[in-house]
Amino acid sequence: NAGVTQTPKFRILKIGQSMTLQCTQDMNHNYMYWYRQDPGMGLKLIYYSVGAGITDKGEVPNGYNVSRSTTEDFPLRLELAAPSQTSVYFCAGGQGDTIYFGEGSWLTVV
Amino acid sequence: GENVEQHPSTLSVQEGDSAVIKCTYSDSASNYFPWYKQELGKRPQLIIDIRSNVGEKKDQRIAVTLNKTAKHFSLHITETQPEDSAVYFCGASGGSYIPTFGRGTSLIVHP
């Protein structure tokens, strides 16, 4: 099993552009999450999903959208990118308490 | 919601010394406390966890202790090695399976 896979790994985006970070998992996790990580700020929850068709906001959802049409996929959409969205994004999946992270996506907005 | 505080933000030790990282949480309903290690440029990886019905758990050189009354838990690393250098995150979650993480501790082990 590959676990949780994210693409792209690196991306430079211009202010106002939109993009989608892809996340897929092959562990049959019901729960999936998107976190962002900024230096010294830890991992902040953006959105999460408890199953296909169900999504909910986390701590820092503004400027992002998600969908969960299948158990495997949980894409994160950035609309009208802003410099404040420069960060490292981690998708994660879990079936209970323990969650497993993807390798991360480094996004720079210029 | 849950709030997790983690200290210190940076910890520098000599190889062979012990390292202790402390976390406090606010929600008494939290019952699961994971610790993740993140090497530079890598993903966070689970190294040890503890549930609220256990006071201490060990795995070779690492151990975690939990004080439910005081709402704090700690990670202990003995006989530190340079490869222990990384950022460590503590987390807390309850029945919702939505963990909240501390801000992280950068551990530097000097050879």
Side-chain angles (χ1 to χ4, degrees), chain A residues 34-88:
Chain A
W34 273 105
Y35 286 89
R36 61 175 287 172
Q37 182 178 29
D38 301 301
M41 298 303 291
L43 296 156
K44 299 289 188 183
L45 183 64
I46 305 171
Y47 271 94
Y48 66 96
S49 169
V50 302
I54 306 169
T55 63
D56 211 342
K57 296 178 180 179
E59 185 180 357
V60 290
N62 291 346
Y64 307 95
N65 277 301
V66 293
S67 60
R68 184 93 184 272
S69 56
T70 66
T71 300
E72 293 77 21
D73 299 307
F74 190 43
L76 178 71
R77 178 83 177 161
L78 281 72
E79 304 282 1
L80 298 174
S84 61
Q85 293 179 304
T86 293
S87 189
V88 183

Side-chain angles (χ1 to χ4, degrees), chain B residues 90-106:
Chain B
C90 62
S93 68
S96 66
Y97 304 137
I98 311 297
T100 298
F101 293 97
R103 291 191 174 192
T105 295
S106 177

Side-chain angles (χ1 to χ4, degrees), chain B residues 59-80:
Chain B
D59 183 2
Q60 299 182 334
R61 293 187 298 106
I62 61 173
V64 57
T65 59
L66 171 65
N67 184 327
K68 284 176 55 181
T69 303
K71 294 197 199 122
H72 67 71
F73 56 112
S74 300
L75 177 71
H76 304 253
I77 306 174
T78 58
E79 300 173 20
T80 54

Side-chain angles (χ1 to χ4, degrees), chain A:
Chain A
N1 290 340
V4 179
T5 304
Q6 293 179 233
T7 56
K9 193 167 179 71
F10 300 99
R11 180 74 186 267
I12 298 174
L13 210 57
K14 292 184 178 180
I15 294 172
Q17 286 185 323
S18 300
M19 75 160 296
T20 299
L21 298 176
Q22 301 292 344
C23 177
T24 188
Q25 53 99 359
D26 61 1
M27 306 286 284
N28 204 32
H29 294 308
N30 281 334
Y31 287 73
M32 294 190 77
Y33 317 79
W34 273 105
Y35 286 89
R36 61 175 287 172
Q37 182 178 29
D38 301 301
M41 298 303 291
L43 296 156
K44 299 289 188 183
L45 183 64
I46 305 171
Y47 271 94
Y48 66 96
S49 169
V50 302
I54 306 169
T55 63
D56 211 342
K57 296 178 180 179
E59 185 180 357
V60 290
N62 291 346
Y64 307 95
N65 277 301
V66 293
S67 60
R68 184 93 184 272
S69 56
T70 66
T71 300
E72 293 77 21
D73 299 307
F74 190 43
L76 178 71
R77 178 83 177 161
L78 281 72
E79 304 282 1
L80 298 174
S84 61
Q85 293 179 304
T86 293
S87 189
V88 183
Y89 292 84
F90 286 99
C91 181
Q95 194 61 18
D97 288 325
T98 304
I99 69 172
Y100 302 92
F101 289 90
E103 293 188 333
S105 297
W106 275 254
L107 177 66
T108 301
V109 182
V110 296

